Amino acid sequence: LPEDMFEKLKEQKTYGAGMMACRQLYFGQMDMELHSAFDPTPAHEGEEGAETIFDVQRRVAEKYQPHNPPLPDDRFLCTFNHIFGGGYAAGYYSYKWAEVMSADAFGAFEDVGLDDEEKVREVGRRFRDTVLSLGGGVEPMEVFRRFRGREPSPEALLRHNGLA
């Protein structure tokens, strides 16, 4: 494969990453808004000026997808099974959070240099002794702190996605 074609293929790895990140953040925030802050009662009872789920959708979209607002007749929420019928109520954010933690955990290996086998083994042992060994016996944030020495950071994910 010619080098220039190979480079073009590599560049496509992160194509659209920013738009996809905005989309996932939009879905996660929509889920949190509807399951933690939204009260359907006023709108259901016909109270004037009451916010509907579609108003919430438009408000959240303005922040996370200003380039792609919902159309007036958009009823995507009626089919968003993940947050209404799929057991993810107020948990959709976990998709993005899992990506953050995964990229940051891999960042520990990158930090020591992926070519340094001894240091990679040390990080691997620390990963085994914390993340893999402690499992559900210790609060997840504490497990991550023990592994990385700090709380998760989105920096590695942004870097891996070509956004930093």
Side-chain angles (χ1 to χ4, degrees):
L1 186 63
E3 187 68 26
D4 64 323
M5 288 181 77
F6 178 70
E7 290 302 319
K8 285 181 182 180
L9 285 173
K10 282 185 5 185
E11 289 172 8
Q12 290 183 19
K13 174 186 171 197
T14 58
Y15 178 80
M19 300 283 273
M20 184 55 74
C22 286
R23 178 178 163 87
Q24 290 303 112
L25 292 170
Y26 164 61
F27 289 163
Q29 185 61 40
M30 176 74 60
D31 182 26
M32 293 297 282
E33 287 277 332
L34 292 175
H35 286 95
S36 64
F38 177 67
D39 179 4
T41 308
H44 181 70
E45 293 177 353
E47 190 176 302
E48 189 163 329
E51 191 174 50
T52 69
I53 62 170
F54 305 112
D55 295 327
V56 173
Q57 179 186 15
R58 283 187 287 279
R59 179 170 46 79
V60 173
E62 283 177 17
K63 180 174 182 179
Y64 291 94
Q65 291 193 224
H67 58 280
N68 187 26
L71 297 172
D73 293 334
D74 185 306
R75 294 300 179 257
F76 162 73
L77 288 177
C78 295
T79 64
F80 195 8
N81 290 333
H82 273 70
I83 66 171
F84 294 118
Y88 282 88
Y92 193 89
Y93 73 92
S94 65
Y95 281 124
K96 189 53 73 182
W97 188 237
E99 288 182 46
V100 167
M101 293 184 77
S102 172
D104 199 5
F106 184 69
F109 293 90
E110 293 174 315
D111 290 350
V112 299
L114 296 175
D115 294 331
D116 188 333
E117 290 185 33
E118 185 54 39
K119 288 186 179 181
V120 166
R121 266 191 223 95
E122 288 174 23
V123 174
R125 281 188 216 97
R126 193 169 72 244
F127 184 78
R128 179 195 62 204
D129 295 343
T130 55
V131 177
L132 299 178
S133 296
L134 297 173
V138 176
E139 192 268 325
M141 186 62 75
E142 178 58 26
V143 171
F144 194 90
R145 274 192 217 104
R146 290 183 192 181
F147 172 59
R148 278 301 255 153
R150 58 170 175 71
E151 292 190 358
S153 165
E155 293 306 313
L157 179 62
L158 294 172
R159 187 178 67 254
H160 291 170
N161 287 338
L163 299 173

